Amino acid sequence: MGRRIKEEKNTKKHKGANIPKATGFFTKHHRLVGYVHYSTMFLVAMVIFLCAPGLKKYSKDADGTNLVSVYMNGTLVGTVEDTSRIDSIVTNARKRVARENTGLVLIKADIVLRGSTEIFGTINTDEEIEENVYRLMLENSVETKESAYEVKINRFTVKLKTADEVIALLEAAKNVYDTEDTYSVNLVLDPTRELDVLTTEMVRNDEKSDDNEEEEVDVLPKAGISQKFEQFYNEANEYEEIGFTLGIKSIDFNENVEVVKTYVDKDEISTLDAAIAEVTKEKETSKIYVVESGDTIGLVAQKNGLSVDELLEMNSSTLENENSMLHVGDELKVTSPEPELSILKTEEKYFADYYDAEVQYIDNDDWYTTEQKVLQEPEKGYRKMIADITYKNDEQVRVDIVYENIVKEAIPKIVERGTKTPPTYIYPVSGRVSSSFGRRKAPKKGASTYHKGMDFAVSTGTAIRATSGGVVTKAGWGSGYGYVVYIRHPDGKESRYGHCSKVLVKAGQSVKQGEKIALSGNTGISTGPHLHFEILVGGSQVNPLKYLN
């Protein structure tokens, strides 16, 4: 509030007339008139003094001013002798206006003080001036904003009229998953914030109905359960005897909720029903993306407005990391329906089930990791449990077993397994595959219509290398194969290399993986220079592509 003081002094200057000295009759007459004049003035002053007690004589200030008129927006609101109280009077009037308005009120209050010099005058009381200022403020006030409470949930915001509506909104979101109204929502100051920001606090309701204290116990199928087990599971109150109270243990909002008081345009304030619908509804329906040619995980995420981490989280069962392989036609979830405000709820539940014991392994250092043998078949066990189960909305996200009673011990599966790393197999030559494993049209008379290996089209003299380390069991001429090499490998497999032009090893010789063992050719039953390559398991040819790296 600006204030300026204009001093206006009422001063009068009297010009004295040059009156010649009177004598005789004139002198006496002049004295009589003067006496009557002054007597009359004295009598008038006495009458005013007696009849007008509201008038008061004031002493002058140093500058000659002894009375101040107070104007607001050009209107006189009162007269004072002491201006030191004007600020507090105006402030009190402002507070009265603010108390009577819920919104943000702008008030024009241009205060001007005008000083004057008076012999007699009337002053106003503080209450009179305050009332005049208050009434003028009401006439000149403009309510530009409405007070409201802004509720912020991550990037979502909604504005409500009162704090009670905020509580009602949060209670509505909670009650979707707390149907028995076990907890209530309170607003408290957020201790992590410097400004006055409210956040939520869940408080457990003390009163519970007897009906809500009972917990349903899952009923297991009776088939295969002895009478003893049936009696055991019918002891409905046993969990109470060991100190457990079933039901909701805790509930809270998954997102951080902030509430602040603010002033907004009236049309920005939402109705309570609209706010509840907005906060509790699921924003999206599940959408599936079908992988196309050229898609990568990053590209799929970009196409659907997601980060790579979000896409991986939605498809955690099929995608391990950002380098996971995609295939044309794969289906990926690209949206996850979820309300604006999610609820984390932990319930203590009693249940019983069959369970499997953990598989027990016996390591055999003489076996490869591809070899194993079951030594004992498993049998399911039977148990009852109390567990704390945490849900995010309706989705179960965690199970913590707090009590377990084994009724029938599970018998584990026992497996003997190898520990040695099995040998690997590499391509014996670099060349085009001219005939794959399996059924084919015979390339020439005498050739098989079922190809038991794979052919590599290479020129005569190309180096042939051992697909894996082992011992040469045959090296020389073989019917149909021409010049051929057989190699027995440590894991029991055998490899064969046919139609060679020259053999470079002999039977009984140990060779390493990649070692040169022969040169390609066109010997035996052959239609041209190539290498015929086989892998045998248990004496029978298999598709080499299953083992080649």
Side-chain angles (χ1 to χ4, degrees):
M1 176 187 71
R3 185 179 69 191
R4 65 181 187 270
I5 300 177
K6 296 181 180 179
E7 298 183 357
E8 299 177 358
K9 298 181 179 180
N10 295 331
T11 59
K12 298 178 180 179
K13 294 183 181 180
H14 301 278
K15 296 182 180 181
N18 296 325
I19 302 174
K21 186 176 181 181
T23 59
F25 170 80
F26 292 105
T27 300
K28 292 179 181 179
H29 179 73
H30 174 73
R31 290 175 179 172
L32 178 60
V33 173
Y35 173 79
V36 174
H37 173 74
Y38 288 112
S39 296
T40 302
M41 290 181 62
F42 176 76
L43 289 174
V44 171
M46 289 299 293
V47 170
I48 293 175
F49 179 76
L50 294 174
C51 299
L55 298 178
K56 183 178 179 182
K57 184 178 180 180
Y58 299 99
S59 60
K60 296 181 179 181
D61 291 340
D63 59 359
T65 298
N66 64 354
L67 205 64
V68 178
S69 297
V70 183
Y71 291 84
M72 176 179 160
N73 303 335
T75 301
L76 179 66
V77 293
T79 304
V80 297
E81 183 183 12
D82 180 10
T83 61
S84 62
R85 301 189 307 277
I86 298 301
D87 284 343
S88 62
I89 291 172
V90 174
T91 299
N92 289 339
R94 284 183 181 276
K95 289 180 179 178
R96 289 175 61 185
V97 175
R99 283 194 298 268
E100 296 173 7
N101 291 271
T102 59
L104 181 64
V105 179
L106 299 181
I107 301 173
K108 180 183 178 184
D110 187 11
I111 303 296
V112 176
L113 305 179
R114 294 177 182 171
S116 63
T117 301
E118 301 290 346
I119 298 176
F120 297 99
T122 302
I123 65 171
N124 299 99
T125 64
D126 291 358
E127 291 76 12
E128 291 173 336
I129 299 174
E130 181 183 321
E131 183 66 23
N132 292 334
V133 171
Y134 164 74
R135 293 188 181 280
L136 274 178
M137 283 183 174
L138 288 181
E139 294 175 4
N140 291 275
S141 64
V142 178
E143 189 171 354
T144 59
K145 299 288 183 180
E146 290 278 345
S147 66
Y149 288 84
E150 182 176 75
V151 182
K152 184 178 181 181
I153 307 167
N154 294 335
R155 290 174 292 181
F156 172 81
T157 60
V158 64
K159 301 173 183 68
L160 294 170
K161 185 65 178 174
T162 66
D164 289 341
E165 288 188 342
V166 173
I167 293 291
L169 169 66
L170 299 174
E171 284 281 349
K174 171 193 71 73
N175 288 340
V176 174
Y177 305 99
D178 181 19
T179 56
E180 298 178 357
D181 198 23
T182 312
Y183 283 78
S184 295
V185 182
N186 281 352
L187 292 179
V188 296
L189 283 175
D190 188 343
T192 65
R193 303 292 297 270
E194 295 181 2
L195 301 177
D196 289 342
V197 177
L198 299 176
T199 189
T200 57
E201 176 185 64
M202 291 290 184
V203 179
R204 189 177 183 89
N205 297 325
D206 292 330
E207 297 183 2
K208 295 181 180 179
S209 67
D210 293 338
D211 294 338
N212 291 341
E213 291 179 353
E214 297 181 0
E215 175 76 9
E216 288 189 9
V217 178
D218 294 339
V219 179
L220 295 174
K222 295 182 180 180
I225 305 176
S226 69
Q227 183 67 30
K228 177 181 177 181
F229 295 159
E230 182 177 355
Q231 179 181 359
F232 179 82
Y233 282 105
N234 284 334
E235 297 174 355
N237 296 323
E238 183 173 346
Y239 62 86
E240 294 181 350
E241 296 175 3
I242 56 178
F244 292 98
T245 302
L246 305 185
I248 298 177
K249 290 186 65 176
S250 67
I251 193 167
D252 205 351
F253 295 117
N254 185 53
E255 292 79 18
N256 184 43
V257 179
E258 295 181 353
V259 181
V260 294
K261 188 170 184 180
T262 184
Y263 293 92
V264 298
D265 293 332
K266 190 173 183 179
D267 58 2
E268 293 183 46
I269 299 176
S270 175
T271 65
L272 178 59
D273 289 342
I276 291 174
E278 187 74 11
V279 168
T280 58
K281 74 178 181 180
E282 292 186 347
K283 293 299 177 183
E284 300 170 321
T285 56
S286 295
K287 180 181 176 183
I288 300 299
Y289 177 83
V290 179
V291 175
E292 302 172 350
S293 177
D295 274 342
T296 63
I297 290 179
L299 184 58
V300 173
Q302 182 180 356
K303 284 181 178 180
N304 293 278
L306 300 170
S307 68
V308 171
D309 289 341
E310 288 172 334
L311 182 63
L312 292 175
E313 183 178 357
M314 292 178 189
N315 299 274
S316 57
S317 61
T318 56
L319 300 179
E320 292 185 6
N321 53 52
E322 62 273 14
N323 297 318
S324 296
M325 185 70 69
L326 295 181
H327 302 282
V328 174
D330 285 352
E331 294 185 349
L332 298 176
K333 186 190 295 185
V334 292
T335 58
S336 180
E338 197 169 281
E340 294 289 355
L341 190 55
S342 303
I343 302 295
L344 284 179
K345 178 179 67 174
T346 299
E347 288 189 72
E348 194 167 75
K349 287 190 172 183
Y350 170 92
F351 59 95
D353 68 351
Y354 295 101
Y355 75 99
D356 293 311
E358 186 176 352
V359 178
Q360 296 180 7
Y361 291 97
I362 298 175
D363 292 336
N364 187 328
D365 296 336
D366 294 328
W367 291 2
Y368 290 106
T369 54
T370 53
E371 298 176 81
Q372 65 178 23
K373 180 180 179 181
V374 177
L375 303 180
Q376 178 177 280
E377 293 294 341
E379 290 185 18
K380 289 183 178 295
Y382 209 47
R383 63 186 176 180
K384 74 171 186 177
M385 292 178 292
I386 294 176
D388 290 340
I389 304 176
T390 301
Y391 301 89
K392 180 182 177 184
N393 297 335
D394 289 325
E395 180 185 359
Q396 180 176 302
V397 294
R398 181 173 175 176
V399 176
D400 295 311
I401 297 175
V402 295
Y403 174 81
E404 182 179 43
N405 192 337
I406 303 297
V407 182
K408 179 180 181 297
E409 194 79 32
I411 296 176
K413 183 178 183 179
I414 300 177
V415 177
E416 185 176 9
R417 64 183 181 183
T419 60
K420 290 196 308 181
T421 302
T424 59
Y425 294 83
I426 63 173
Y427 280 78
V429 293
S430 295
R432 178 177 61 86
V433 176
S434 57
S435 182
S436 299
F437 180 89
R439 190 167 299 281
R440 67 173 182 177
K441 183 178 180 180
K444 63 178 294 184
K445 187 177 180 180
S448 173
T449 57
Y450 190 90
H451 198 215
K452 296 181 179 181
M454 55 189 303
D455 292 344
F456 294 91
V458 290
S459 59
T460 299
T462 299
I464 301 171
R465 302 184 183 277
T467 184
S468 185
V471 176
V472 177
T473 57
K474 182 176 181 179
W477 186 264
S479 176
Y481 288 103
Y483 287 107
V484 65
V485 175
Y486 291 17
I487 300 177
R488 172 72 63 181
H489 304 287
D491 61 354
K493 295 184 180 68
E494 186 179 42
S495 58
R496 293 178 182 173
Y497 312 81
H499 308 306
C500 301
S501 62
K502 185 176 183 180
V503 173
L504 304 177
V505 292
K506 59 183 179 180
Q509 180 180 340
S510 295
V511 294
K512 296 179 180 180
Q513 185 180 60
E515 184 176 341
K516 188 190 301 185
I517 58 172
L519 300 178
S520 65
N522 190 28
T523 60
I525 302 175
S526 174
T527 57
H530 72 283
L531 167 66
H532 174 81
F533 174 68
E534 295 178 2
I535 289 181
L536 295 86
V537 176
S540 299
Q541 292 94 335
V542 296
N543 189 347
L545 289 178
K546 292 182 178 180
Y547 304 97
L548 291 178
N549 296 321

